[in-house]
């Protein structure tokens, strides 16, 4: 199980990288826009200079040929870039061409087992089921993660499952139990994962007890 950071905020990425627990980053156009950064290439290259692992950057083209051209361009930005491609007929066509060129891809906006299956068969390196967005509409997002992991295991499909659209620490624990290869988490969730009230109480009690015997 690995943890990626789901953000385009380079300050957050720098802070998280220091902890030694982040092995990749995922971005999307909304996350880059949130940082008011207009130059996607500059953002992705800056992130690549901080984190060695896979950095997902998303294409915006919708037609297969344009998607493939854009993906080739995006993958040239840095050796560790993974091209994020939304699931669609065009997306599958692009992934199958790119996988033969050894361009790494991340099938994004995945909301069903069939979408995941098609992405894996087309040759996507990563498949990203969006857990939180499914929960938001009253479905069980983590159930989808379990189903994808089980089917990929059964048929020995090599795509790695990224539990995405993570909203809170429990999502990460359950994703790990479900066998997701990766959970991509917002910075706030990463910070919440560190905390436990009993740890805080324990630390202050140790300090108080030690102070109590000092002259
Ligand atoms: C994943 O790769 C996406 O960037 C992300 O997890 C989407 O999360 P959201 O539903 O919180 O926007």
């Amino acid at each position: 199980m690995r943890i990626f950071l789901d953000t385009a905020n380079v300050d957050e990425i720098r802070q998280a990288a220091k902890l030694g627990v982040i092995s990749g980053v995922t971005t999307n156009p909304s996350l880059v826009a949130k940082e008011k950064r207009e130059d996607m290439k500059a953002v992705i290259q800056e992130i690549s200079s901080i984190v060695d692992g896979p950095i997902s950057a998303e294409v915006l083209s919708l037609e297969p040929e344009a998607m493939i051209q854009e993906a080739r361009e995006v993958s040239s930005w840095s050796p560790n870039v993974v091209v994020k491609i939304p699931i669609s007929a065009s997306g599958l066509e692009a992934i199958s061409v790119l996988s033969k060129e050894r361009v790494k891809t991340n099938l994004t906006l995945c909301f069903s087992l069939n979408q995941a299956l098609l992405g894996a068969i087309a040759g996507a390196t990563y498949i990203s089921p969006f857990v939180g967005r499914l929960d938001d509409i009253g479905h069980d997002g983590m159930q989808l993660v379990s189903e994808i992991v089980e089917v990929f295991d059964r048929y020995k499909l090599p795509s790695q499952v990224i539990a995405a659209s993570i909203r809170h620490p429990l999502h990460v624990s359950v994703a790990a139990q479900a066998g997701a290869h990766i959970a991509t988490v917002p910075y706030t969730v990463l910070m919440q994962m560190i905390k436990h009230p009993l740890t805080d109480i324990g630390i202050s009690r140790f300090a108080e007890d030690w102070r109590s015997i000092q002259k």
Side-chain angles (χ1 to χ4, degrees):
M1 174 76 171
R2 288 180 291 154
I3 305 288
F4 289 1
L5 207 61
D6 192 30
T7 183
N9 181 306
V10 289
D11 294 329
E12 290 180 349
I13 294 167
R14 275 203 188 86
Q15 287 303 319
K18 286 189 213 163
L19 307 181
V21 295
I22 295 303
S23 47
V25 174
T26 52
T27 68
N28 63 41
S30 305
L31 290 171
V32 177
K34 191 173 151 204
E35 302 308 317
K36 310 249 183 298
R37 303 270 308 253
E38 284 170 34
D39 186 347
M40 176 98 74
K41 179 178 176 180
V43 180
I44 297 299
Q45 288 182 331
E46 194 175 347
I47 297 172
S48 298
S49 71
I50 305 167
V51 176
D52 275 342
I55 313 297
S56 287
E58 191 156 340
V59 293
L60 288 156
S61 305
L62 297 175
E63 296 305 319
E65 202 42 54
M67 234 178 206
I68 293 164
Q69 290 305 335
E70 190 183 346
R72 287 179 183 140
E73 161 66 18
V74 168
S75 75
S76 74
W77 292 346
S78 173
N80 51 340
V81 167
V82 172
V83 185
K84 236 178 171 184
I85 299 189
I87 170 70
S88 64
S90 302
L92 289 173
E93 190 176 329
I95 288 168
S96 65
V97 169
L98 294 163
S99 71
K100 291 180 188 78
E101 297 175 7
R102 299 188 185 283
V103 173
K104 292 194 169 144
T105 53
N106 176 355
L107 183 90
T108 191
L109 290 169
C110 173
F111 293 100
S112 75
L113 178 56
N114 281 339
Q115 290 179 328
L117 196 50
L118 291 169
I121 294 168
T125 319
Y126 302 97
I127 305 286
S128 291
F130 274 36
V131 175
R133 292 193 197 188
L134 276 171
D135 290 357
D136 290 345
I137 59 158
H139 289 254
D140 184 348
M142 213 45 85
Q143 176 63 30
L144 174 61
V145 172
S146 298
E147 288 168 7
I148 296 171
V149 168
E150 190 196 326
V151 169
F152 284 13
D153 276 357
R154 184 180 308 170
Y155 295 102
K156 309 217 174 336
L157 293 166
S159 306
Q160 294 188 46
V161 178
I162 304 180
S165 187
I166 293 286
R167 301 268 199 264
H168 48 70
L170 185 59
H171 270 157
V172 185
S173 309
V174 181
Q177 288 167 322
H181 302 89
I182 297 146
T184 187
V185 305
Y187 182 77
T188 47
V189 173
L190 179 68
M191 291 301 116
Q192 289 170 329
M193 287 168 68
I194 298 171
K195 299 291 281 180
H196 195 288
L198 291 179
T199 307
D200 296 341
I201 291 167
I203 288 171
S204 27
R205 198 169 292 160
F206 287 151
E208 276 164 33
D209 288 347
W210 188 244
R211 262 198 312 272
S212 72
I213 57 148
Q214 309 298 303
K215 302 238 159 65

